[in-house]
Every structure is written in structure tokens, then in C-alpha cells.
Amino acid sequence: MHNWVHGFGLGKADGAAGDVALLGGKGANLRELSGRGLPVPPGFIVSTEACRAFLSGGASPHGLKDEIFRALKALESQTGRSFGGAEKPLLVSVRAGARVAMPGMMETVLNLGLNDETVEALAREGGEARFAFDCYRRFIQMYGAVALGLEPHLFEEALEAAGTDDAASLSEAELRGLVSRFLALVEEGTGRPFPQDPALQLSGAVEAVFNSWTSARAGVFRRMHAIPEEWGAAVTVQAMVFGNRREGSATGWASTRHETTGAKSLIGAYLERGQGEEVTTRARQARPLTGAGNSLQAKMPDAFAELSALAGRLEAEFRDAHDMEFTIERGKVWLLQTRPARRGGRAAMKMAVDMAGERLITREDAVARIDPAWLDPLLHPTIDPSAELQLIGSGVPAAPGAASGEIVFSSEEAEMRRALGKRVILVRIETSPEDVHGMHAADGVLTTRGGTTSHAAVVARGLGKPCVTGAGALRIDYAKGVMLAEGKEYKRGDIITI
């Protein structure tokens, strides 16, 4: 007998805690968080074993639907809500989770369980009809694209026809009209009405996630990152929490330390009355977590304090910096996912040293966390963080380091000025093998064309010289001996820093 489904937060121990191969990264993370008593909406995971059985047999494996039904009953009991019920309907999210992160490659469906009846029940609950129909239009749009195979642009065009590209500006009446249009689009596109049975909706969403593991885009990603197809994907089904309610609700992301500097400070962004991936995809203009004005700290100080406390607890329990995805519903903070924080080499060094100083990790742990490849850029000069800068252009960071010097436009000039003891930056549209002697004489190289594999980039890295390529907004006139940037001319001999 297989155990296809594994619960979390359902009031019982279910084994397999932290088993990434079985539960996927997302599911294993949620079980770990829930087991530690952190605020995670309850739910269950359909395992990668079920995915592999589905893909090999072309249908749900024996017993899977019964296990999902039992898990739903446990979720109803835990939340006090009813899946498909005419009162206090239970809505769930359905998300994919692979053994390793595959951002944007597989599918997500939110607000599953809504239909023409349950949306009215949700509208009556708390008198938030606008919120209920906002959830319904989101669900139809996501389910239509993910499970029914409709082109996403059909729904986007219908939204534009309503006079906006941001549904957050629509009234309840306008959202009701948009829902009717979305339902009509589904029937026109599939030849069938939108499925009203929540059980069928859930089966369709789970199978869509399974199928997304073998989609063309996921296949390309797997080949690029050497991810075996036989791993399969898990499906996390979780009680919805709503960042798009009327009062005290938001969605967002946060990091416990700065990914660039490594400083210990809560950074991130949030959206009031938002949901899902709107923050990370920048579908709407997000706001900062800290500071004055419209920050979360200023507008929802209690929620911000709770989020800050959770950040500290995550670091203490996992002994590492963490990224968090969160939802605030009526002032209550929920964690939807966490993972070790992204970091560059400089940030990783500072985090490791600081955490050792805080006795969060040992000195040996700190050393072990540093990839030797991260050290090379740290050995090159950098710009003083306190310096006042006038930015005149940007390009591709083709070779690490920083340098200041006089502008020269030819390799011969570079050699001549270097012989006089001057520091120079060789500025070219692009370099060629004939420029190697000038690149050797220069302190840095700047080109308006090229990328990380261009001649300038490859040679500069070999010479250990800082190089910026592809600064396409700059214009160089060799005949006049000038570089045009931000409407200003910079002549041969002027000082610049790269």
C-alpha cells in the first residue's frame, strides 16, 4: 500500500518530515516549519511518487483520490470550514514543488473551491463581496490557463476591455462583470462551462501540476540544470489565507539579511490587498517593509513586529539567513514558504563572520559556508561605499574590481600615459587582439559593445583588470576624442571611475 498523501498542521504526525525527494522542496519546508510551530496554513502534500505513477500510467494511481478526500476532511476539521460548502467555504491553493527550485517552470492555482455558489457564501461572510469576486476572477483566470489550457492573454485582454490593467482598481460591480466575462471565455474556449464541482477542480489542478513536470519549458530547464526527469514533482494543497481582504491584509517577501551587503536588517516588499506572485513578478508597484510613509512598518506596525520576530526565530532555529514569502490576513502573519537566503560573495562573507560573532554558528561553520570562488572578486579594489558618485552610465560587469583614471581612446595613448605615471581607463567601442598591449597598460577597460564573453571581457579577466562592457548608452567619437554620456561630453584626459 502506498501512502500518496502527507499532511502538515492537521493535528497528527505523518512521517516523512523533511524528505525533499518525496515531498519536494516546498512541501518538505512547510512540514518542517509546521512541525516547529511556526505560523503556516495547514495542508497536505501529494508526493512525487504519485506524480511518477500518474505520468507513467496516464491516470491517477489507485487510492490517490481517496487519500486526498481524507486529507481534505482533516483540513476541514482543522480550519472549521467546508470544501464546496454553502457556508464558510474552504478554499485551497495548489502549488508545485520539485526537489530543487525551478522558479516559474511549473504551475500554481489559488482560491480553488470557488464556484457560483461558494463565491456568494464567501461574499456574505464578513460582508466582503468585492474581496470574494476578486478571488473568483483570479481563480478562473489561473485555472483556465493552468488546467484548461486557455491562453493567458485572453483574460488579460478582457481585463483591459474593462478599462484597466490592474483589477485592484475595480469595484464589486465591475468585478462581478469581469467574472461573467471570464466564465464566458472559458466556455467559448473549451466548449464546456467552467467546472463548478470543487472536487473536479482539485483533481484537474493536481493533474495539471503533474503534467507541468513534463512541459516543454520545464524540460528545457531540467536539461540546463541536469535535473533528472524521473524525480517528478510534488503538489502542495494548502488552506488559503488572504492578503487581498479589505483591512489589515497584504502579501510580500522578506529577507532576514541584505543579499548584497550581508547586513542584518529586514528587507523586502509588500502589497496591500494583494495575492500570490504579484510582488515577486512586479505585476503591481510594491512598497518597502521599513521606513516612513507607506512602508509596512509605518502602516501595519503590529504585523511588522510579528514579521520581525519570525525573522529572528527562523535564524535562531535554522542557524542561517532566510528568505520568506508571507501573507498578512487581518493583521495575522502567515508564512507561505522560507528558504536559505540568496547572497553574493561579499554578503556571504559578512553573514558568515557576523553569525559566528553572534554565536549563531561556529567559526568552523562560517569557514565551511564560503565557496572559494567567491573570494576572487573580494580581492579586487572596490568603490568606497561612502563616496559621492555621479552615475553616467552602466553596462555588463565583465571583470571584477574598480579603477579610476584618465580617459584614453587608443592603446597607444594608454601606453604613453602609463609611461608618464598616469592611471588610465581604456575606452573603446569594442576591443580587438590589437588592443591587448593597451589593456595591459590600462587600469581598467570600458566598452560600449560586448558582454561577458567578448574580447574585452575575456582578456581583462585574464589580466586581472576591472572591465565594464556593453555600456550601450555611451557614445564614442574617436575623431573628436570625446565620449558622450548623459548629454555631457567627456574628453581625453578627463577622470572617470568604473
Side-chain angles (χ1 to χ4, degrees):
M1 291 291 291
H2 277 88
N3 189 13
W4 304 114
V5 175
H6 305 267
F8 58 92
L10 299 181
K12 62 175 183 179
D14 210 9
D19 189 343
V20 175
L22 182 69
L23 306 177
K26 189 185 299 292
N29 170 252
L30 289 171
R31 295 205 79 213
E32 179 79 9
L33 296 174
S34 179
R36 291 173 180 262
L38 288 155
V40 173
F44 57 89
I45 304 128
V46 184
S47 70
T48 56
E49 288 182 338
C51 175
R52 291 192 293 271
F54 172 84
L55 292 174
S56 63
S60 292
H62 177 70
L64 175 58
K65 290 184 178 179
D66 290 339
E67 287 192 35
I68 289 176
F69 177 77
R70 288 195 293 272
L72 273 172
K73 286 297 182 186
L75 188 56
E76 287 178 327
S77 176
Q78 188 70 21
T79 60
R81 308 186 75 85
S82 174
F83 190 62
E87 298 295 332
K88 297 187 68 176
L90 170 66
L91 306 186
V92 297
S93 63
V94 179
R95 291 184 170 93
R99 194 183 302 191
V100 296
M102 295 176 60
M105 292 300 106
M106 293 186 293
E107 306 296 0
T108 294
V109 178
L110 306 180
N111 308 304
L112 190 145
L114 282 174
N115 57 29
D116 293 347
E117 182 180 7
T118 56
V119 70
E120 296 292 354
L122 190 63
R124 290 191 299 271
E125 188 181 336
E128 290 191 73
R130 190 204 170 280
F131 150 73
F133 280 88
D134 181 47
C135 291
Y136 199 15
R137 69 93 188 164
R138 292 172 188 265
F139 172 50
I140 298 167
Q141 183 171 357
M142 294 181 106
Y143 193 87
V146 168
L148 302 179
L150 297 175
E151 291 293 334
H153 71 81
L154 296 173
F155 300 101
E156 294 161 4
E157 289 167 1
L159 180 58
E160 291 175 2
T164 181
D165 59 358
D166 183 4
S169 63
L170 298 180
S171 66
E172 175 199 335
E174 289 170 326
L175 283 169
R176 284 180 180 269
L178 190 61
V179 162
S180 296
R181 178 61 187 138
F182 279 10
L183 290 171
L185 281 174
V186 170
E187 189 158 4
E188 292 166 9
T190 65
R192 301 184 303 276
F194 186 81
Q196 294 289 303
D197 182 350
L200 290 178
Q201 294 173 359
L202 183 56
S203 295
V206 170
E207 291 180 4
V209 171
F210 285 163
N211 283 322
S212 71
W213 177 251
T214 56
S215 69
R217 66 181 181 184
V220 170
F221 186 94
R222 286 201 314 274
R223 288 191 294 274
M224 288 174 58
H225 297 275
I227 299 171
E229 183 175 341
E230 58 267 22
W231 281 3
V235 183
T236 299
V237 180
Q238 197 172 12
M240 282 293 302
V241 289
F242 302 100
N244 57 326
R245 284 192 180 273
R246 186 169 51 207
E247 299 294 338
S249 299
T251 187
W253 67 271
S255 293
T256 60
R257 303 196 186 215
H258 198 289
E259 67 176 300
T260 302
T261 67
K264 187 174 183 179
S265 60
L266 194 63
I267 65 165
Y270 82 106
L271 276 174
E272 287 187 280
R273 295 173 67 173
Q275 199 178 79
E277 292 76 32
E278 287 177 298
V279 177
T280 53
T281 60
R282 292 175 170 82
R284 290 169 53 200
Q285 183 61 46
R287 296 169 175 173
L289 295 182
T290 58
N294 287 323
S295 72
L296 183 67
Q297 185 177 24
K299 297 205 72 174
M300 301 183 194
D302 291 342
F304 178 80
E306 187 177 350
L307 185 65
S308 298
L310 287 171
R313 185 174 169 188
L314 283 170
E315 287 206 349
E317 297 209 14
F318 291 95
R319 302 188 311 117
D320 201 359
H322 264 64
D323 292 337
M324 304 177 280
E325 295 175 20
F326 65 88
T327 285
I328 304 169
E329 182 178 13
R330 292 172 171 164
K332 166 68 176 175
V333 179
W334 294 93
L335 296 179
L336 303 183
Q337 186 175 4
T338 71
R339 64 179 71 85
R342 296 179 296 264
R343 66 203 74 182
R346 183 172 298 278
M349 290 282 286
K350 179 166 176 56
M351 287 184 194
V353 171
D354 287 353
M355 285 189 280
E358 297 162 18
R359 299 186 182 278
L360 198 62
I361 59 176
T362 66
R363 292 168 65 92
E364 291 76 15
D365 288 336
V367 172
R369 289 185 180 188
I370 303 304
D371 185 332
W374 291 343
L375 299 179
D376 179 64
L378 302 182
L379 301 177
H380 294 264
T382 61
I383 295 174
D384 185 342
S386 64
E388 291 188 15
L389 307 175
Q390 179 188 356
L391 182 66
I392 63 171
S394 61
V396 178
S404 291
E406 298 180 2
I407 294 174
V408 295
F409 294 107
S410 73
S411 292
E412 290 70 28
E413 290 175 325
E415 283 193 314
M416 182 179 67
R417 300 301 290 170
R418 167 62 76 183
L420 296 174
K422 303 294 184 181
R423 306 182 71 87
V424 298
I425 305 296
L426 177 62
V427 179
R428 301 284 291 167
I429 295 173
E430 56 189 347
T431 63
S432 68
E434 287 73 28
D435 289 308
V436 171
H437 63 104
M439 297 173 70
H440 189 273
D443 291 272
V445 181
L446 170 64
T447 67
T448 62
R449 296 179 186 167
T452 56
T453 59
S454 66
H455 176 268
V458 172
V459 174
R461 286 197 295 271
L463 294 172
K465 304 291 179 85
C467 176
V468 176
T469 60
L474 306 181
R475 294 292 178 267
I476 297 172
D477 187 328
Y478 291 134
K480 292 183 178 179
V482 297
M483 176 182 75
L484 187 66
E486 295 287 318
K488 181 179 177 182
E489 287 188 349
Y490 293 83
K491 302 182 299 298
R492 179 184 290 108
D494 288 344
I495 303 293
I496 61 169
T497 300
I498 63 168

